[in-house]
Amino acid sequence: MVVTLAAVTALLVAPAVVAATATPPAGYTTAEDVSSDFIKQVGKFAVTVYKLARGVSLYYVSTSQCWSKPAGGGADDYWMVLTATNGAGAAGSYVATVWGIPGSESKTWKLLSFNATS
């Protein structure tokens, strides 16, 4: 998945605080390999879309948890706990939900939510 953001559609929900010991919502049954290049790319996509949509300085560092569930039509929802740094280099923890069809172009992927953890 190559992230080209010119045609990315993103739906961002209002910021909310999520517990730091986050557990995936009901229905997310597949634990993903957070060290895989694919999951890293999904995490980078989430941070980059949020950064561009909100006009904030934020940079992807890592993914500590990722769970998926089928979303229909060959798509999956990915619920992930991410670490990102701001422009000053301070790290924060975030929970993101991303919808996408593995193997498709990034312009078809959607950021459904992106929230800071407590």
Side-chain angles (χ1 to χ4, degrees):
M1 171 174 66
V2 175
V3 178
T4 57
L5 297 167
V8 171
T9 301
L11 169 66
L12 301 175
V13 297
V17 176
V18 179
T21 56
T23 57
Y28 287 85
T29 57
T30 304
E32 299 290 341
D33 178 3
V34 296
S35 67
S36 76
D37 289 341
F38 175 73
I39 294 303
K40 289 177 186 176
Q41 191 66 32
V42 175
K44 290 175 185 178
F45 171 86
V47 171
T48 301
V49 171
Y50 184 81
K51 170 184 171 175
L52 293 174
R54 298 289 186 195
V56 296
S57 180
L58 203 60
Y59 304 94
Y60 174 84
V61 174
S62 64
T63 302
S64 60
Q65 291 185 55
C66 184
W67 293 77
S68 66
K69 70 176 182 177
D76 291 312
D77 286 334
Y78 298 89
W79 178 91
M80 49 185 26
V81 179
L82 308 166
T83 299
T85 56
N86 63 19
S93 183
Y94 302 87
V95 173
T97 306
V98 177
W99 176 97
I101 300 172
S104 67
E105 295 180 13
S106 63
K107 66 184 177 184
T108 63
W109 285 65
K110 298 175 187 174
L111 177 60
L112 302 177
S113 67
F114 193 93
N115 301 300
T117 63
S118 58

